[in-house]
């Protein structure tokens, strides 16, 4: 009894949510009730997926292979490449690469057309039949059964009422009562015949509807396979495309590497010079001083010490790019660039700027800033001495090497106009910059005093190079540049063959620094009031260290933009300091 009540409650609840009449539920068992509940959702799912999947097709629906391929964007791309290829030398590397790329785009277009035709045949068409024919037919039988059952129930109610009327009339006497009874009896008999006929129709429609439900329940696994087959077709399409691409790429790279023997396009050396960490560069090449630092310093010592505006005047982008490529691939051929010291200076600045971490290290940035904030010269020098002693060995060696050179450059300031202050302005932001920050804070830093403090730190390092980095230095430390002879003033120094250790004299024995000129004193008094431009730092993605030469080499336009940014910052420093002095 309880089970029958629960079943009836379930029927009523489902009738209220789906609109099914209670009478139709009487013909369905529990299993078929669940099947019936899945009809409408299945129809909507098949319809919606078919519609969206149809919109994903790029070719003309229902067309054959040739017509479909012509409409694909990949084929249009292949046609454009073929037209462009005609204008190129077929023996050139670009011509060969474009020819093969054109062919592979054509092949990919045909693979895509084949995929879409298979998709239409095996997925789209079955989904269309399911949503537009099979499931609507079942739902139509359901509605027919509901109507027949409703009509049957109505007819049974009429028959029941007629039977009651006939019984009442039978109790009346007289001729009129007999006539009424006969009429009512005839009406009852007619209603019984109609009820029997309608009952047969209900039974027939019920049998058809139940057969439909059983058929749907047995076919649900097949319907699910439509979606599984969709993924299988997609996987096969991507496998074919990937196989074609891998084959073409292997052949293209092989042909390209055999045809290109130019040292300027060799990827490995270049990727180990610019844009990699200092430690990685030194370990890969077995050096103590970074190749660009040593090479550029020797070139400038040879020809550029008296060049006015060195490090401040920009070089031609094409010359600079060629110098960087030559340095990475064939450093023994650098003598040709001696006549362009500004390009050499630009290559050195570019190396420092492209280091993933500044030469003076990000970890010590706050310590450098604290040292710069000290106003008393002796305390500042002692603080700088302490920070230098905490640099990693490779950073200390290269900073010492560079500061020794910049001190020599500053000795020629009467001719080259590059005082320690001017040198610090143009090189400081390339030696030390604040850690990366995001959002508005990074913009606020552009107006802070930290970059001015960086200039003060680098200027003090140059002015006190002999104190902070004692001892003579052999600029041609690696011995691989015998053709670059430094100027007489430099070559007459007593040089040592080995770099000194990091340890430096104790601060207590440090000589007093040379008094700064009047302009320097004014700048020290006002450096806390000056705005700080953003350091000219390029994007440093760690994955760049393993990139190819093409990925590591900047385009001419990109480099010009960086150089313009750097020059703008340098002009900003000069302008700010000039306003202070005036």
């Amino acid at each position: 009894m309880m089970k029958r009540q629960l079943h009836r409650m379930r029927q009523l609840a489902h009738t209220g949510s789906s609109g099914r009449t209670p009478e139709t539920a009487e013909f369905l068992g529990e299993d078929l009730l669940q099947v019936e509940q899945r009809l409408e959702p299945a129809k909507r799912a098949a319809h919606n997926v078919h519609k969206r999947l149809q919109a994903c097709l790029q070719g003309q629906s229902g067309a054959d292979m040739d017509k479909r391929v012509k409409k694909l964007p990949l084929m249009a791309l292949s046609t454009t490449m073929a037209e462009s290829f005609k204008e190129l030398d077929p023996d050139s590397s670009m011509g060969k690469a474009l020819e093969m790329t054109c062919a592979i785009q054509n092949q990919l277009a045909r693979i895509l057309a084949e995929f879409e035709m298979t998709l239409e045949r095996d997925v789209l068409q079955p989904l269309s039949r399911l949503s537009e024919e099979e499931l609507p037919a079942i739902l139509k039988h359901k509605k027919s059964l509901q109507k027949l059952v409703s009509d049957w129930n109505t007819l049974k109610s009429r028959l029941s009422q007629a039977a009651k009327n006939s019984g009442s009339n039978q109790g009346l006497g007289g001729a009129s009562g007999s006539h009424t009874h006969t009429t009512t009896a005839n009406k009852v008999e007619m209603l019984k015949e109609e009820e029997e006929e309608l009952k047969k129709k209900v039974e027939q429609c019920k049998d058809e509807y139940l057969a439909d439900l059983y058929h749907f329940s047995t076919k649900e696994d097949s319907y699910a396979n439509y979606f599984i087959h969709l993924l299988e077709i997609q996987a096969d399409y991507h496998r074919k495309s990937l196989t074609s691409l891998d084959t073409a790429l292997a052949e293209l790279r092989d042909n390209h590497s055999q045809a290109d023997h130019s040292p300027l396009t060799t990827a490995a050396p270049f990727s180990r010079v610019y844009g990699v960490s200092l430690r990685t560069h030194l370990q890969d090449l077995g050096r103590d001083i970074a190749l660009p630092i040593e090479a550029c310093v020797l070139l400038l010592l040879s020809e550029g010490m008296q060049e006015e505006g060195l490090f401040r005047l920009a070089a031609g982008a094409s010359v600079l790019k060629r110098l960087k490529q030559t340095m990475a691939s064939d450093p023994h051929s650098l003598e040709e660039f001696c006549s362009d010291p500004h390009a050499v200076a630009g290559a050195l600045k570019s190396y420092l700027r492209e280091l993933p971490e500044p030469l003076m290290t990000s970890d010590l940035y706050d310590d450098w800033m604290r040292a710069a904030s000290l106003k008393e010269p002796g305390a500042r020098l002692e603080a700088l001495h302490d920070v230098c002693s905490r640099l990693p060995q490779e950073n200390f060696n290269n900073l010492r090497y560079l500061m020794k050179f910049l001190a020599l450059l500053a000795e020629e300031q009467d001719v080259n106009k590059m005082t320690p202050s001017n040198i610090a302005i143009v090189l400081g932001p390339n030696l030390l910059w604040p850690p990366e920050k995001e959002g508005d804070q990074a913009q606020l830093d552009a107006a802070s005093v930290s970059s001015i403090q960086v200039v003060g730190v680098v200027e003090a390092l140059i002015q006190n190079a002999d104190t902070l980095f004692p001892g003579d230095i052999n600029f041609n430390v690696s011995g691989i540049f015998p053709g670059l002879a430094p100027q007489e003033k430099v070559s007459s120094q007593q040089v040592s063959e080995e770099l000194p250790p990091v340890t430096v004299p104790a601060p207590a024995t440090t000589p007093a620094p040379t008094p700064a000129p009047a302009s320097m004193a004014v700048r020290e008094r006002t450096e806390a009031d000056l705005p700080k431009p953003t350091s000219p730092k390029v994007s440093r993605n760690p994955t760049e260290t393993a990139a190819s030469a093409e990925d590591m080499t900047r385009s001419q336009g990109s480099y010009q933009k960086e150089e313009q940014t750097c020059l703008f910052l340098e002009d900003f420093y000069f302008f700010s300091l000039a306003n202070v002095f005036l």
Side-chain angles (χ1 to χ4, degrees):
M1 185 67 175
M2 180 64 69
K3 183 176 180 182
R4 187 180 304 110
Q5 290 177 347
L6 290 174
H7 180 64
R8 183 62 177 168
M9 291 173 61
R10 195 179 296 114
Q11 289 177 342
L12 292 173
H14 184 68
T15 298
S17 62
S18 63
R20 182 177 60 252
T21 60
E23 291 80 1
T24 56
E26 295 176 359
F27 302 115
L28 305 178
E30 186 68 26
D31 54 345
L32 289 182
L33 279 174
Q34 296 178 1
V35 173
E36 186 183 50
Q37 293 174 15
R38 296 196 291 268
L39 287 175
E40 284 286 354
K43 178 179 178 295
R44 288 194 298 269
H47 174 75
N48 293 336
V49 172
H50 176 274
K51 181 179 178 180
R52 292 299 179 184
L53 196 56
Q54 184 78 36
C56 293
L57 300 182
Q58 300 181 39
Q60 182 178 351
S61 179
D64 58 18
M65 173 66 77
D66 293 335
K67 290 183 179 180
R68 186 184 291 270
V69 166
K70 291 179 181 179
K71 298 294 184 179
L72 292 177
L74 281 174
M75 182 55 68
L77 174 62
S78 176
T79 302
T80 300
M81 288 181 169
E83 294 172 352
S84 303
F85 167 70
K86 297 176 183 178
E87 302 177 4
L88 294 173
D89 181 0
D91 294 329
S92 66
S93 58
M94 184 175 180
K96 292 178 180 179
L98 186 58
E99 181 182 16
M100 182 168 290
T101 305
C102 171
I104 193 62
Q105 296 304 321
N106 186 298
Q107 187 174 355
L108 290 175
R110 295 189 172 277
I111 294 175
L112 177 58
E114 182 182 356
F115 157 72
E116 291 190 352
M117 294 178 67
T118 305
L119 190 67
E120 282 189 349
R121 182 186 68 244
D122 296 346
V123 179
L124 286 174
Q125 291 178 5
L127 285 177
S128 178
R129 287 195 300 269
L130 181 63
S131 63
E132 304 299 329
E133 299 175 13
E134 297 178 16
L135 293 180
I138 299 177
L139 293 172
K140 184 178 179 180
H141 286 162
K142 174 184 174 182
K143 291 181 179 180
S144 298
L145 177 60
Q146 289 175 342
K147 186 177 184 307
L148 288 174
V149 170
S150 178
D151 293 344
W152 186 31
N153 290 333
T154 301
L155 186 58
K156 285 192 295 185
S157 298
R158 291 173 58 195
L159 179 60
S160 176
Q161 186 62 38
K164 289 180 180 180
N165 294 337
S166 177
S168 299
N169 293 330
Q170 187 176 1
L172 298 176
S176 59
S178 176
H179 176 73
T180 303
H181 173 70
T182 303
T183 304
T184 305
N186 292 335
K187 184 178 181 180
V188 170
E189 289 299 325
M190 291 178 59
L191 290 175
K192 285 183 177 180
E193 291 178 1
E194 291 181 14
E195 190 268 342
E196 288 294 332
E197 184 68 25
L198 192 55
K199 181 179 179 180
K200 292 179 180 178
K201 291 182 179 180
V202 169
E203 291 294 332
Q204 181 180 359
C205 189
K206 181 193 72 172
D207 293 341
E208 292 178 355
Y209 181 54
L210 292 177
D212 288 340
L213 290 179
Y214 279 118
H215 178 74
F216 174 76
S217 64
T218 58
K219 292 282 291 183
E220 275 191 291
D221 288 341
S222 299
Y223 300 149
N225 283 332
Y226 296 158
F227 305 107
I228 298 174
H229 197 37
L230 167 63
L231 299 180
E232 292 173 345
I233 296 172
Q234 287 179 317
D236 185 62
Y237 159 67
H238 288 296
R239 274 193 296 267
K240 289 181 179 179
S241 298
L242 182 59
T243 300
S244 299
L245 286 170
D246 285 341
T247 302
L249 277 173
E251 183 178 353
L252 187 59
R253 286 170 177 162
D254 183 59
N255 294 340
H256 188 62
S257 62
Q258 292 178 1
D260 187 6
H261 301 288
S262 171
L264 299 182
T265 57
T266 304
F270 191 83
S271 63
R272 294 186 298 168
V273 177
Y274 281 87
V276 299
S277 68
L278 178 66
R279 175 172 296 181
T280 300
H281 167 69
L282 298 179
Q283 290 177 349
D284 287 350
L285 299 186
R287 301 180 60 83
D288 293 320
I289 302 299
L291 173 62
I293 295 179
E294 180 181 359
C296 292
V297 164
L298 289 176
L299 288 170
L300 294 175
L301 286 172
S302 177
E303 297 289 341
M305 298 297 286
Q306 297 184 343
E307 187 71 23
E308 184 174 343
L310 194 67
F311 288 108
R312 187 168 189 273
L313 298 180
S318 59
V319 177
L320 179 58
K321 181 179 179 181
R322 189 163 58 89
L323 190 158
K324 291 169 65 177
Q325 290 175 325
T326 303
M327 186 178 302
S329 58
D330 189 17
H332 297 282
S333 303
L334 292 172
E335 288 86 347
E336 63 174 297
F337 297 99
C338 286
S339 59
D340 194 345
H342 294 293
V344 176
L348 178 55
K349 286 172 61 178
S350 180
Y351 173 75
L352 297 173
R353 188 165 60 246
E354 293 179 26
L355 284 173
E357 183 187 42
L359 182 63
M360 295 169 68
T361 74
S362 298
D363 291 340
L364 297 177
Y365 178 81
D366 293 335
D367 297 322
W368 290 116
M369 293 300 99
R370 279 192 289 270
S373 65
L374 299 176
K375 301 302 180 184
E376 200 278 316
R380 175 186 287 191
L381 188 62
E382 183 177 353
L384 293 175
H385 176 279
D386 177 67
V387 181
C388 286
S389 67
R390 289 187 283 119
L391 282 168
Q393 184 69 51
E394 59 269 14
N395 294 75
F396 177 86
N397 291 344
N398 282 267
L399 183 63
R400 174 181 182 272
Y401 183 97
L402 188 58
M403 290 303 149
K404 287 286 194 178
F405 161 72
L406 295 178
L408 291 177
L409 181 65
E411 292 180 7
E412 304 288 343
Q413 59 185 276
D414 292 339
V415 180
N416 59 34
K417 310 301 181 184
M418 296 304 292
T419 64
S421 176
N422 292 344
I423 297 173
I425 288 172
V426 295
L427 277 184
N430 299 297
L431 291 168
L432 181 63
W433 53 82
E436 288 186 357
K437 297 181 179 179
E438 298 179 354
D440 295 337
Q441 184 62 40
Q443 298 176 359
L444 293 175
D445 285 346
S448 70
V449 300
S450 60
S451 287
I452 298 298
Q453 290 176 321
V454 168
V455 173
V457 169
V458 175
E459 181 178 0
L461 293 179
I462 296 173
Q463 290 176 328
N464 300 280
D466 290 337
T467 301
L468 296 173
F469 309 103
D472 297 327
I473 190 167
N474 176 17
F475 287 105
N476 194 2
V477 63
S478 66
I480 66 171
F481 302 111
L484 299 179
Q487 294 174 345
E488 182 178 354
K489 181 174 181 178
V490 179
S491 61
S492 62
Q493 296 181 8
Q494 296 294 326
V495 297
S496 62
E497 295 298 329
E498 297 182 358
L499 293 172
V502 172
T503 55
V504 291
T509 62
T510 302
T514 305
S519 62
M520 180 59 190
V522 173
R523 195 188 67 77
E524 286 185 350
R525 287 195 302 271
T526 60
E527 64 184 9
D529 300 325
L530 292 176
K532 161 189 167 284
T534 309
S535 56
K537 180 184 176 187
V538 298
S539 176
R540 294 171 171 82
N541 188 339
T543 59
E544 290 178 355
T545 59
S548 62
E550 291 83 356
D551 294 330
M552 297 300 302
T553 305
R554 301 179 183 275
S555 66
Q556 179 172 341
S558 175
Y559 179 81
Q560 287 174 340
K561 181 178 180 181
E562 290 180 9
E563 193 65 24
Q564 289 170 357
T565 303
C566 201
L567 289 175
F568 169 78
L569 294 170
E570 295 164 6
D571 290 339
F572 175 81
Y573 280 121
F574 281 119
F575 178 74
S576 301
L577 295 177
N579 287 338
V580 173
F581 299 152
L582 292 175

